[in-house]
Amino acid sequence: MLPIRIDKKFYKPETIKRWAVVSYQGVNRFNEAAAKEMVAGLLSACRNVGMVVQDENPVIKWENPQGIISDQLRAAGMAVSERAVRAGQPPGGPNLIVVVLPDGGNEIYTKVK
């Protein structure tokens, strides 16, 4: 696959300080290698449009799509904050959570949105 070239930049790009990836796709279909590849692609796309991503290694979690979505997303945010504290940074949640949906994940999409 050829890399995509974007000739546009944001006028005032936001900085992604802390972020997380939460996957509702099973680990057998979206494994750690796939997650890391997706993260690398997103980082590249952000750079191409002028965005700065301070944390290039987000928290990545796989969750049960039958669970309580709001609690799972809140837990991902708390994991981001706890990791920051362990790294000697002030506590604080993510300013971006990327959610990977399974095929037919309309119900989860509605809850996340």
Side-chain angles (χ1 to χ4, degrees):
M1 180 164 67
L2 295 173
I4 297 172
R5 173 118 167 96
I6 300 174
D7 294 328
K8 307 287 183 202
K9 300 266 187 203
F10 285 116
Y11 176 67
K12 290 184 180 178
E14 281 294 315
T15 296
I16 299 172
K17 296 176 183 169
R18 299 176 184 156
W19 61 301
V21 175
V22 178
S23 176
Y24 289 99
Q25 181 67 272
V27 72
N28 55 336
R29 295 194 68 197
F30 187 75
N31 61 24
E32 188 172 348
K36 289 182 187 252
E37 185 177 333
M38 184 209 63
V39 165
L42 184 59
L43 290 172
S44 176
C46 287
R47 280 188 217 102
N48 286 341
V49 295
M51 292 181 70
V52 174
V53 180
Q54 292 178 347
D55 181 2
E56 294 192 0
N57 184 28
V59 168
I60 301 174
K61 297 177 70 82
W62 282 262
E63 294 290 356
N64 180 349
Q66 305 300 315
I68 301 171
I69 306 300
S70 59
D71 289 350
Q72 294 166 336
L73 296 177
R74 194 171 297 109
M78 290 175 62
V80 169
S81 183
E82 289 166 1
R83 188 170 84 174
V85 169
R86 284 193 308 272
Q89 300 170 355
N95 59 336
L96 175 68
I97 297 178
V98 175
V99 177
V100 179
L101 298 173
D103 293 333
N106 297 341
E107 187 176 323
I108 298 170
Y109 172 81
T110 301
K111 290 177 181 177
V112 167
K113 188 175 135 186

Short mmCIF file of all heavy atoms in Angstrom, two decimals, residues 41-101:
data_model
loop_
_atom_site.label_atom_id
_atom_site.label_comp_id
_atom_site.label_asym_id
_atom_site.label_seq_id
_atom_site.Cartn_x
_atom_site.Cartn_y
_atom_site.Cartn_z
N GLY A 41 -0.05 4.48 12.09
CA GLY A 41 -0.73 5.16 11.00
C GLY A 41 -1.39 6.45 11.45
O GLY A 41 -1.33 7.48 10.75
N LEU A 42 -2.01 6.43 12.62
CA LEU A 42 -2.65 7.63 13.15
C LEU A 42 -1.60 8.70 13.48
O LEU A 42 -1.79 9.88 13.19
CB LEU A 42 -3.48 7.30 14.38
CG LEU A 42 -4.29 8.44 14.97
CD1 LEU A 42 -5.27 9.02 13.95
CD2 LEU A 42 -5.04 7.98 16.20
N LEU A 43 -0.49 8.28 14.08
CA LEU A 43 0.59 9.23 14.38
C LEU A 43 1.10 9.89 13.11
O LEU A 43 1.31 11.11 13.06
CB LEU A 43 1.73 8.53 15.11
CG LEU A 43 1.46 8.07 16.53
CD1 LEU A 43 2.61 7.22 17.05
CD2 LEU A 43 1.22 9.25 17.45
N SER A 44 1.29 9.11 12.08
CA SER A 44 1.77 9.63 10.79
C SER A 44 0.77 10.62 10.20
O SER A 44 1.14 11.70 9.73
CB SER A 44 2.01 8.47 9.83
OG SER A 44 2.38 8.96 8.56
N ALA A 45 -0.52 10.26 10.24
CA ALA A 45 -1.56 11.15 9.71
C ALA A 45 -1.61 12.45 10.49
O ALA A 45 -1.78 13.53 9.91
CB ALA A 45 -2.91 10.44 9.74
N CYS A 46 -1.46 12.38 11.80
CA CYS A 46 -1.46 13.59 12.63
C CYS A 46 -0.30 14.51 12.25
O CYS A 46 -0.47 15.71 12.09
CB CYS A 46 -1.40 13.24 14.11
SG CYS A 46 -2.95 12.56 14.76
N ARG A 47 0.87 13.92 12.13
CA ARG A 47 2.05 14.71 11.75
C ARG A 47 1.83 15.38 10.39
O ARG A 47 2.22 16.53 10.19
CB ARG A 47 3.30 13.83 11.69
CG ARG A 47 3.90 13.57 13.03
CD ARG A 47 5.25 12.85 12.91
NE ARG A 47 5.34 11.91 14.00
CZ ARG A 47 5.14 10.60 13.91
NH1 ARG A 47 4.88 10.03 12.77
NH2 ARG A 47 5.23 9.83 14.98
N ASN A 48 1.23 14.64 9.46
CA ASN A 48 1.03 15.16 8.10
C ASN A 48 0.13 16.40 8.07
O ASN A 48 0.22 17.19 7.14
CB ASN A 48 0.44 14.09 7.19
CG ASN A 48 1.46 13.04 6.80
OD1 ASN A 48 2.66 13.26 6.91
ND2 ASN A 48 0.98 11.90 6.37
N VAL A 49 -0.75 16.54 9.04
CA VAL A 49 -1.65 17.70 9.06
C VAL A 49 -1.23 18.73 10.11
O VAL A 49 -1.96 19.67 10.39
CB VAL A 49 -3.13 17.29 9.25
CG1 VAL A 49 -3.62 16.48 8.06
CG2 VAL A 49 -3.34 16.55 10.55
N GLY A 50 -0.05 18.56 10.70
CA GLY A 50 0.50 19.54 11.63
C GLY A 50 0.17 19.34 13.08
O GLY A 50 0.49 20.20 13.91
N MET A 51 -0.45 18.22 13.42
CA MET A 51 -0.77 17.96 14.83
C MET A 51 0.45 17.39 15.56
O MET A 51 1.24 16.66 14.97
CB MET A 51 -1.94 16.99 14.94
CG MET A 51 -3.24 17.56 14.45
SD MET A 51 -4.60 16.39 14.61
CE MET A 51 -4.80 16.35 16.39
N VAL A 52 0.54 17.71 16.83
CA VAL A 52 1.61 17.18 17.68
C VAL A 52 0.99 16.15 18.61
O VAL A 52 -0.03 16.41 19.26
CB VAL A 52 2.27 18.30 18.50
CG1 VAL A 52 3.28 17.73 19.49
CG2 VAL A 52 2.92 19.32 17.58
N VAL A 53 1.59 14.98 18.68
CA VAL A 53 1.16 13.94 19.61
C VAL A 53 2.31 13.74 20.58
O VAL A 53 3.37 13.25 20.21
CB VAL A 53 0.81 12.62 18.88
CG1 VAL A 53 0.37 11.57 19.89
CG2 VAL A 53 -0.26 12.85 17.84
N GLN A 54 2.11 14.17 21.83
CA GLN A 54 3.19 14.10 22.81
C GLN A 54 3.46 12.69 23.28
O GLN A 54 4.61 12.33 23.52
CB GLN A 54 2.86 15.00 24.01
CG GLN A 54 2.88 16.47 23.66
CD GLN A 54 2.52 17.36 24.83
OE1 GLN A 54 2.01 16.92 25.86
NE2 GLN A 54 2.78 18.65 24.67
N ASP A 55 2.43 11.90 23.42
CA ASP A 55 2.59 10.51 23.89
C ASP A 55 2.39 9.58 22.69
O ASP A 55 1.26 9.38 22.24
CB ASP A 55 1.57 10.21 24.98
CG ASP A 55 1.70 8.80 25.53
OD1 ASP A 55 2.61 8.06 25.10
OD2 ASP A 55 0.89 8.43 26.40
N GLU A 56 3.46 9.05 22.18
CA GLU A 56 3.37 8.18 21.00
C GLU A 56 3.10 6.73 21.35
O GLU A 56 3.07 5.88 20.48
CB GLU A 56 4.64 8.32 20.15
CG GLU A 56 4.78 9.71 19.56
CD GLU A 56 5.84 9.81 18.50
OE1 GLU A 56 6.50 8.80 18.19
OE2 GLU A 56 6.00 10.93 17.96
N ASN A 57 2.91 6.46 22.63
CA ASN A 57 2.64 5.10 23.08
C ASN A 57 1.39 5.12 23.96
O ASN A 57 1.48 5.11 25.19
CB ASN A 57 3.85 4.56 23.85
CG ASN A 57 3.67 3.13 24.26
OD1 ASN A 57 2.96 2.37 23.61
ND2 ASN A 57 4.30 2.75 25.36
N PRO A 58 0.20 5.14 23.34
CA PRO A 58 -1.02 5.27 24.14
C PRO A 58 -1.33 4.00 24.94
O PRO A 58 -0.83 2.92 24.65
CB PRO A 58 -2.10 5.49 23.08
CG PRO A 58 -1.60 4.73 21.90
CD PRO A 58 -0.10 4.95 21.92
N VAL A 59 -2.16 4.19 25.95
CA VAL A 59 -2.73 3.04 26.65
C VAL A 59 -3.63 2.32 25.65
O VAL A 59 -4.42 2.95 24.96
CB VAL A 59 -3.55 3.51 27.87
CG1 VAL A 59 -4.38 2.38 28.44
CG2 VAL A 59 -2.65 4.12 28.94
N ILE A 60 -3.49 1.00 25.54
CA ILE A 60 -4.33 0.20 24.65
C ILE A 60 -5.02 -0.86 25.49
O ILE A 60 -4.37 -1.61 26.22
CB ILE A 60 -3.50 -0.46 23.52
CG1 ILE A 60 -2.78 0.61 22.70
CG2 ILE A 60 -4.41 -1.31 22.62
CD1 ILE A 60 -1.82 0.05 21.64
N LYS A 61 -6.36 -0.90 25.39
CA LYS A 61 -7.14 -1.86 26.16
C LYS A 61 -8.13 -2.57 25.24
O LYS A 61 -8.65 -1.96 24.32
CB LYS A 61 -7.93 -1.13 27.26
CG LYS A 61 -7.04 -0.45 28.29
CD LYS A 61 -7.84 0.31 29.32
CE LYS A 61 -8.60 -0.53 30.26
NZ LYS A 61 -7.96 -1.08 31.39
N TRP A 62 -8.36 -3.83 25.53
CA TRP A 62 -9.41 -4.60 24.85
C TRP A 62 -10.53 -4.79 25.86
O TRP A 62 -10.28 -5.22 26.99
CB TRP A 62 -8.88 -5.95 24.38
CG TRP A 62 -8.07 -5.84 23.14
CD1 TRP A 62 -8.51 -6.08 21.87
CD2 TRP A 62 -6.70 -5.46 23.01
NE1 TRP A 62 -7.49 -5.86 20.96
CE2 TRP A 62 -6.37 -5.48 21.64
CE3 TRP A 62 -5.72 -5.08 23.92
CZ2 TRP A 62 -5.11 -5.15 21.16
CZ3 TRP A 62 -4.46 -4.75 23.44
CH2 TRP A 62 -4.17 -4.80 22.08
N GLU A 63 -11.74 -4.48 25.44
CA GLU A 63 -12.87 -4.57 26.36
C GLU A 63 -13.96 -5.47 25.79
O GLU A 63 -14.04 -5.70 24.59
CB GLU A 63 -13.46 -3.18 26.64
CG GLU A 63 -12.53 -2.25 27.40
CD GLU A 63 -12.30 -2.65 28.85
OE1 GLU A 63 -12.93 -3.62 29.33
OE2 GLU A 63 -11.49 -1.98 29.51
N ASN A 64 -14.81 -5.95 26.70
CA ASN A 64 -15.93 -6.80 26.34
C ASN A 64 -17.06 -5.92 25.81
O ASN A 64 -17.55 -5.05 26.54
CB ASN A 64 -16.39 -7.57 27.58
CG ASN A 64 -17.55 -8.48 27.32
OD1 ASN A 64 -18.18 -8.44 26.27
ND2 ASN A 64 -17.84 -9.33 28.28
N PRO A 65 -17.51 -6.14 24.57
CA PRO A 65 -18.58 -5.31 24.04
C PRO A 65 -19.92 -5.49 24.76
O PRO A 65 -20.83 -4.69 24.58
CB PRO A 65 -18.69 -5.74 22.57
CG PRO A 65 -17.97 -7.02 22.46
CD PRO A 65 -17.00 -7.10 23.61
N GLN A 66 -20.02 -6.52 25.60
CA GLN A 66 -21.25 -6.73 26.37
C GLN A 66 -21.20 -6.00 27.71
O GLN A 66 -22.16 -6.01 28.47
CB GLN A 66 -21.45 -8.23 26.65
CG GLN A 66 -21.46 -9.10 25.41
CD GLN A 66 -22.56 -8.73 24.44
OE1 GLN A 66 -23.69 -8.51 24.85
NE2 GLN A 66 -22.24 -8.64 23.17
N GLY A 67 -20.06 -5.35 28.00
CA GLY A 67 -19.90 -4.67 29.28
C GLY A 67 -20.55 -3.30 29.31
O GLY A 67 -21.25 -2.89 28.37
N ILE A 68 -20.30 -2.58 30.38
CA ILE A 68 -20.84 -1.23 30.54
C ILE A 68 -19.84 -0.27 29.91
O ILE A 68 -18.78 0.02 30.48
CB ILE A 68 -21.10 -0.91 32.03
CG1 ILE A 68 -22.10 -1.91 32.61
CG2 ILE A 68 -21.60 0.53 32.19
CD1 ILE A 68 -22.27 -1.83 34.11
N ILE A 69 -20.19 0.21 28.74
CA ILE A 69 -19.26 0.98 27.90
C ILE A 69 -18.75 2.22 28.64
O ILE A 69 -17.54 2.49 28.63
CB ILE A 69 -19.94 1.39 26.57
CG1 ILE A 69 -20.52 0.16 25.85
CG2 ILE A 69 -18.99 2.19 25.70
CD1 ILE A 69 -19.54 -0.90 25.48
N SER A 70 -19.62 2.96 29.29
CA SER A 70 -19.19 4.18 29.97
C SER A 70 -18.16 3.88 31.06
O SER A 70 -17.18 4.61 31.22
CB SER A 70 -20.39 4.94 30.55
OG SER A 70 -21.10 4.13 31.47
N ASP A 71 -18.36 2.80 31.80
CA ASP A 71 -17.40 2.41 32.84
C ASP A 71 -16.07 2.01 32.21
O ASP A 71 -15.00 2.33 32.75
CB ASP A 71 -17.94 1.25 33.68
CG ASP A 71 -19.08 1.67 34.60
OD1 ASP A 71 -19.33 2.89 34.74
OD2 ASP A 71 -19.72 0.77 35.18
N GLN A 72 -16.12 1.30 31.09
CA GLN A 72 -14.89 0.86 30.42
C GLN A 72 -14.09 2.05 29.90
O GLN A 72 -12.86 2.08 30.03
CB GLN A 72 -15.23 -0.11 29.29
CG GLN A 72 -15.82 -1.41 29.80
CD GLN A 72 -16.47 -2.23 28.70
OE1 GLN A 72 -16.89 -1.70 27.66
NE2 GLN A 72 -16.56 -3.53 28.92
N LEU A 73 -14.77 3.02 29.31
CA LEU A 73 -14.08 4.21 28.81
C LEU A 73 -13.52 5.04 29.95
O LEU A 73 -12.40 5.57 29.87
CB LEU A 73 -15.01 5.04 27.93
CG LEU A 73 -15.49 4.36 26.65
CD1 LEU A 73 -16.47 5.25 25.90
CD2 LEU A 73 -14.33 3.96 25.76
N ARG A 74 -14.27 5.14 31.04
CA ARG A 74 -13.79 5.85 32.23
C ARG A 74 -12.53 5.15 32.78
O ARG A 74 -11.56 5.80 33.17
CB ARG A 74 -14.89 5.90 33.29
CG ARG A 74 -14.61 6.89 34.40
CD ARG A 74 -15.82 7.08 35.34
NE ARG A 74 -16.96 7.66 34.63
CZ ARG A 74 -18.08 7.00 34.31
NH1 ARG A 74 -18.24 5.75 34.67
NH2 ARG A 74 -19.06 7.60 33.68
N ALA A 75 -12.54 3.82 32.81
CA ALA A 75 -11.37 3.06 33.29
C ALA A 75 -10.16 3.30 32.40
O ALA A 75 -9.03 3.39 32.89
CB ALA A 75 -11.71 1.58 33.37
N ALA A 76 -10.38 3.41 31.10
CA ALA A 76 -9.27 3.70 30.18
C ALA A 76 -8.69 5.07 30.49
O ALA A 76 -7.46 5.25 30.53
CB ALA A 76 -9.74 3.63 28.74
N GLY A 77 -9.56 6.04 30.75
CA GLY A 77 -9.09 7.37 31.12
C GLY A 77 -8.31 7.36 32.42
O GLY A 77 -7.28 8.04 32.54
N MET A 78 -8.77 6.59 33.38
CA MET A 78 -8.06 6.49 34.65
C MET A 78 -6.70 5.82 34.46
O MET A 78 -5.72 6.21 35.10
CB MET A 78 -8.91 5.75 35.67
CG MET A 78 -10.11 6.56 36.10
SD MET A 78 -11.26 5.69 37.20
CE MET A 78 -10.22 5.36 38.59
N ALA A 79 -6.62 4.83 33.57
CA ALA A 79 -5.34 4.17 33.30
C ALA A 79 -4.35 5.15 32.70
O ALA A 79 -3.15 5.12 33.01
CB ALA A 79 -5.55 2.98 32.36
N VAL A 80 -4.83 6.05 31.85
CA VAL A 80 -3.96 7.08 31.27
C VAL A 80 -3.44 8.00 32.36
O VAL A 80 -2.24 8.30 32.43
CB VAL A 80 -4.72 7.88 30.18
CG1 VAL A 80 -3.93 9.11 29.76
CG2 VAL A 80 -5.03 7.01 28.98
N SER A 81 -4.32 8.43 33.25
CA SER A 81 -3.91 9.32 34.35
C SER A 81 -2.92 8.63 35.29
O SER A 81 -1.91 9.22 35.69
CB SER A 81 -5.15 9.78 35.12
OG SER A 81 -4.79 10.69 36.13
N GLU A 82 -3.19 7.37 35.63
CA GLU A 82 -2.30 6.63 36.53
C GLU A 82 -0.91 6.45 35.90
O GLU A 82 0.10 6.57 36.59
CB GLU A 82 -2.91 5.27 36.86
CG GLU A 82 -4.11 5.37 37.77
CD GLU A 82 -4.93 4.09 37.85
OE1 GLU A 82 -4.56 3.08 37.22
OE2 GLU A 82 -5.96 4.11 38.55
N ARG A 83 -0.88 6.20 34.60
CA ARG A 83 0.42 6.06 33.93
C ARG A 83 1.18 7.38 33.96
O ARG A 83 2.40 7.39 34.15
CB ARG A 83 0.23 5.58 32.50
CG ARG A 83 1.56 5.24 31.84
CD ARG A 83 1.38 4.54 30.55
NE ARG A 83 1.17 5.55 29.51
CZ ARG A 83 1.10 5.26 28.22
NH1 ARG A 83 1.17 4.01 27.82
NH2 ARG A 83 0.92 6.20 27.35
N ALA A 84 0.48 8.49 33.80
CA ALA A 84 1.13 9.80 33.85
C ALA A 84 1.74 10.03 35.23
O ALA A 84 2.89 10.48 35.34
CB ALA A 84 0.13 10.90 33.51
N VAL A 85 1.00 9.70 36.27
CA VAL A 85 1.49 9.88 37.64
C VAL A 85 2.73 9.02 37.88
O VAL A 85 3.72 9.48 38.45
CB VAL A 85 0.38 9.58 38.68
CG1 VAL A 85 0.94 9.50 40.08
CG2 VAL A 85 -0.71 10.62 38.58
N ARG A 86 2.70 7.77 37.40
CA ARG A 86 3.87 6.88 37.55
C ARG A 86 5.09 7.45 36.83
O ARG A 86 6.23 7.20 37.22
CB ARG A 86 3.57 5.48 37.04
CG ARG A 86 2.72 4.65 37.98
CD ARG A 86 2.70 3.18 37.61
NE ARG A 86 2.36 2.91 36.23
CZ ARG A 86 1.12 2.76 35.75
NH1 ARG A 86 0.09 2.84 36.57
NH2 ARG A 86 0.92 2.51 34.48
N ALA A 87 4.86 8.23 35.77
CA ALA A 87 5.95 8.83 35.00
C ALA A 87 6.38 10.17 35.58
O ALA A 87 7.20 10.87 34.99
CB ALA A 87 5.54 8.99 33.54
N GLY A 88 5.80 10.55 36.74
CA GLY A 88 6.18 11.80 37.39
C GLY A 88 5.47 13.02 36.83
O GLY A 88 5.88 14.15 37.09
N GLN A 89 4.40 12.81 36.07
CA GLN A 89 3.64 13.92 35.50
C GLN A 89 2.41 14.17 36.38
O GLN A 89 2.00 13.31 37.14
CB GLN A 89 3.21 13.58 34.08
CG GLN A 89 4.36 13.32 33.14
CD GLN A 89 3.88 12.75 31.81
OE1 GLN A 89 2.70 12.48 31.62
NE2 GLN A 89 4.81 12.56 30.90
N PRO A 90 1.82 15.35 36.23
CA PRO A 90 0.59 15.59 36.99
C PRO A 90 -0.54 14.68 36.50
O PRO A 90 -0.56 14.30 35.33
CB PRO A 90 0.27 17.07 36.71
CG PRO A 90 1.04 17.43 35.49
CD PRO A 90 2.21 16.49 35.43
N PRO A 91 -1.47 14.34 37.39
CA PRO A 91 -2.57 13.49 36.97
C PRO A 91 -3.44 14.21 35.95
O PRO A 91 -3.51 15.44 35.92
CB PRO A 91 -3.33 13.20 38.25
CG PRO A 91 -2.94 14.29 39.19
CD PRO A 91 -1.58 14.73 38.79
N GLY A 92 -4.08 13.45 35.13
CA GLY A 92 -5.00 14.01 34.14
C GLY A 92 -5.34 12.95 33.11
O GLY A 92 -4.50 12.13 32.75
N GLY A 93 -6.57 12.99 32.68
CA GLY A 93 -7.03 12.00 31.72
C GLY A 93 -6.62 12.34 30.30
O GLY A 93 -5.95 13.33 30.04
N PRO A 94 -7.05 11.51 29.38
CA PRO A 94 -6.69 11.71 27.97
C PRO A 94 -7.52 12.83 27.34
O PRO A 94 -8.61 13.13 27.80
CB PRO A 94 -7.06 10.36 27.34
CG PRO A 94 -8.17 9.85 28.18
CD PRO A 94 -7.85 10.31 29.59
N ASN A 95 -6.96 13.43 26.29
CA ASN A 95 -7.78 14.35 25.52
C ASN A 95 -8.23 13.71 24.20
O ASN A 95 -8.83 14.36 23.36
CB ASN A 95 -7.12 15.72 25.31
CG ASN A 95 -5.79 15.68 24.61
OD1 ASN A 95 -5.10 14.69 24.63
ND2 ASN A 95 -5.43 16.78 24.01
N LEU A 96 -7.98 12.40 24.08
CA LEU A 96 -8.49 11.64 22.94
C LEU A 96 -8.59 10.17 23.34
O LEU A 96 -7.66 9.62 23.94
CB LEU A 96 -7.55 11.77 21.73
CG LEU A 96 -7.89 10.92 20.50
CD1 LEU A 96 -9.18 11.41 19.84
CD2 LEU A 96 -6.75 10.95 19.49
N ILE A 97 -9.72 9.56 23.01
CA ILE A 97 -9.87 8.11 23.12
C ILE A 97 -10.31 7.61 21.76
O ILE A 97 -11.34 8.04 21.23
CB ILE A 97 -10.90 7.69 24.20
CG1 ILE A 97 -10.44 8.14 25.59
CG2 ILE A 97 -11.11 6.18 24.18
CD1 ILE A 97 -11.41 7.81 26.71
N VAL A 98 -9.51 6.73 21.18
CA VAL A 98 -9.84 6.11 19.90
C VAL A 98 -10.53 4.79 20.22
O VAL A 98 -9.99 3.97 20.97
CB VAL A 98 -8.58 5.86 19.05
CG1 VAL A 98 -8.92 5.11 17.78
CG2 VAL A 98 -7.88 7.18 18.73
N VAL A 99 -11.72 4.59 19.66
CA VAL A 99 -12.49 3.38 19.93
C VAL A 99 -12.55 2.55 18.65
O VAL A 99 -12.94 3.05 17.59
CB VAL A 99 -13.91 3.72 20.42
CG1 VAL A 99 -14.73 2.45 20.63
CG2 VAL A 99 -13.84 4.53 21.71
N VAL A 100 -12.14 1.29 18.75
CA VAL A 100 -12.19 0.35 17.63
C VAL A 100 -13.44 -0.50 17.81
O VAL A 100 -13.59 -1.20 18.81
CB VAL A 100 -10.93 -0.54 17.59
CG1 VAL A 100 -11.00 -1.53 16.44
CG2 VAL A 100 -9.67 0.32 17.51
N LEU A 101 -14.34 -0.40 16.83
CA LEU A 101 -15.62 -1.11 16.91
C LEU A 101 -15.58 -2.41 16.12
O LEU A 101 -14.94 -2.48 15.07
CB LEU A 101 -16.73 -0.23 16.36
CG LEU A 101 -16.98 1.08 17.09
CD1 LEU A 101 -18.00 1.92 16.33
CD2 LEU A 101 -17.44 0.83 18.50
#
